[in-house]
Amino acid sequence: MLRPHSYACGRWIAPGDTATDITGPVTGQVIAKAGGAALDMQAMLDHARGTGGPALRALGFHDRARMLKALAGYLDERKEQLYALNTLTGATRRDGWVDIDGGINTMGLFASKGRREMPDGQIYIEGDVEMLSRKGTFLGQHIAVPLQGVAVQINAFNFPVWGMLEKLAPALLAGVPSIVKPATQTCYLTEACVRMIIDSDILPEGALQLVIGRTGDLLDRLGAQDVVAFTGSAETALMLRGNPSLTRHSTRFMAEQDSLNASILGPDAGPESAEFALFIKEAVAEITTKAGQKCTATRRLIVPAEWMEAVGDALGAKLSAVSTGNPAADGVRMGALASHAQKADVLARLTQLRTEARLIFGDPASMTLVDADPEQAFLPPMLLACDDPDAARIVHEIEAFGPLSTLMPYRDTAHAAALANRGGGSLVSSLFTADPDVARQIVLDSAAWHGRIYINNAVSASESTGHGSPLPHMIHGGPGRAGGGEELGGVRAVLHYMQRSAIQGSPDMLSAITDTWVHGSAQSTSPAHPFQRTFTEIRIGETIHTDARTVTLEDIEHFARFTGDTFYAHMDEDAARANPFFPGRVAHGYLLLSFAAGLFVQPDPGPVLANTGLNALSFQKPVSPGDSIRVALTCKRKTRRTDSYGEVAWNATLTNQDDEQVAQYELLTMVAFERA
Ligand code: NAP
């Protein structure tokens, strides 16, 4: 008998006298007792806000990203313990891969995005400096800082590990402590994962707490700096987001709800095409993975009217090969639903769907199961067909959260998009086509209704990730019916746990706040050539001014011959003059860059290891033969990359003999922490 504990204020708390029995979906036996503990919600909030939050905020983004990396590694080494519990939820090992490995990989991806795309500090800089004054003494910069409250994360039963980690990782990266509340039915798997995280001792005290069972008055106690991230049904979301306390304090509420996701077979994708085969393959995967209990699962299959029958036959053939039964048995592809209640709910909704659609494959009354009792929470894969989807309502509105999908015909692409949009807002819609015009038209007609549009064809088939897989790089969420929320999507996910603030002030103020040299802020003279200074020694704002170099016509011609770039603006005086941008023959922009390097580089071996790139290059004024150029090189930003070197970004400004700016760019170098 499992007894999942809550974790509050640094202590594990056992289920109380009023704990709920959790019945296993495969055996029908009680497998766990959960909830019923008397948790002091205010004490948990105080612990998160007073201990966890300050400890997390004392770290920078990269420190927190390293923490996530360590956590992902720790969980990965112990994941078999999670897989051992996975089958109790009714899921096969393959289903568990999406949940367990999928969750750990998501955490790993946030670790790497945190280090690659966020600063090595405590303030996230969003966008460019805005010029708010003519002389440049008053500027603006958008930044984001961690919220000073707590993230309450309420999850659905279907992904007990991924559902937690995909919310926890961005919240931790942002610097916000979490209180996690898993769905009771599968909470023992979430608890096992939380135990590992706590045992790892990687997180600071108070960064993560766990509520098993009811949340009591937790939501009533939330305020302006807190966030609720909810995943579950539309009804629960509606009830929770209506909490007056959340409204009073404008507490952020993000919802990921159920949705009636669609998959469209393109008008070009006839029964012999590769796209037709792909459509069938993915539809079968969506119906059977996790026994259809995926928020992204395809509920509506929208196909050209003339191929309704061919699609029905092809799907039926594939579905009949899916072995269903005990998720632990060899060869079983589809396991049980998560609970008997879930099975009853799906059957009730199937009855409603059958008022508008014919059941053309699968029969819950006569199932063939491997090593399993049909009385338990099993259902067969099922397919319905709705012949008049325009007149229908239920097929576009009722989500049966189980292994079934409804086939429906369309006339043309506009009709297909309109049917997909009838879901009222979805997480993902997919399209199988080889025709870019079809793809563009469907996207134009329907992207406003879908959080993600997944297009697959023969070109992308072998590497595509599947209709139903939310990827940490891409947003997961959708408008309307899908909850209007947004999760994942790289750094976007982290920003949900942060406050954006517009900072206005002088260049020096902005530079000090953002730890980034801003045009117009102080430039100090470098005590030695910057290429001879270590990463640690170099200071933001440190600048060298080079000597001047005259650019001659011989230089331009030599460069043209040497590189093969004999564009007329460099070689033909009359043609160059006729060009509205040039006064006559001008130097190549790349010649200027090369001369600039020749001016500022210090050639001896030293701490500078490599030039790794160049950003935001602009050529602002032509350089004519006889002009001279010089360079001001200023340290703009420093980012630690490893324990032995970091990236230094330099602002390079090229000016001519009249002090006019002719070019500007950001130069990236890797610089060692110590001299060799
Ligand atoms: P649910 O019944 O709405 O429950 C979701 C979560 O809310 C559970 O943790 C539940 O806890 C909790 N909850 C319920 N009442 C609450 C209350 N008064 N206060 C605080 N928490 C409360 O949904 P579910 O049955 O677990 O999940 C299935 C649904 O989730 C499907 O409709 C599916 O489409 C949707 N879903 C959406 C996504 C997405 O990303 N958009 C992902 C997965 C699932 P208890 O279990 O303790 O009641």
Side-chain angles (χ1 to χ4, degrees), residues 155 157 181 184 214 231-233 236 256-258 295 399 476:
N155 294 317
F157 66 78
K181 188 259 177 284
T184 302
R214 297 280 100 187
T231 297
S233 62
T236 311
E256 296 298 333
Q257 298 169 188
D258 46 273
C295 53
E399 184 204 38
H476 171 63

Side-chain angles (χ1 to χ4, degrees), residues 154-159 162 166-167 181-186 212-216 219 230-237 239-240 255-259 293-296 299 342 399 401 427 470 476-477 482 487:
I154 302 176
N155 294 317
F157 66 78
N158 55 345
F159 289 108
W162 177 85
E166 63 105 13
K167 290 184 170 75
K181 188 259 177 284
T184 302
Q185 181 63 30
T186 51
I212 298 291
R214 297 280 100 187
T215 50
L219 264 52
F230 169 83
T231 297
S233 62
E235 299 94 84
T236 311
M239 189 251 298
L240 296 182
E256 296 298 333
Q257 298 169 188
D258 46 273
S259 76
Q293 301 165 111
K294 274 191 328 172
C295 53
T296 49
R299 304 290 171 208
Q342 188 60 27
E399 184 204 38
F401 204 56
L427 296 169
H476 171 63
E487 291 182 334

Side-chain angles (χ1 to χ4, degrees), residues 174-185:
V176 176
S178 297
I179 296 179
V180 171
K181 188 259 177 284
T184 302
Q185 181 63 30

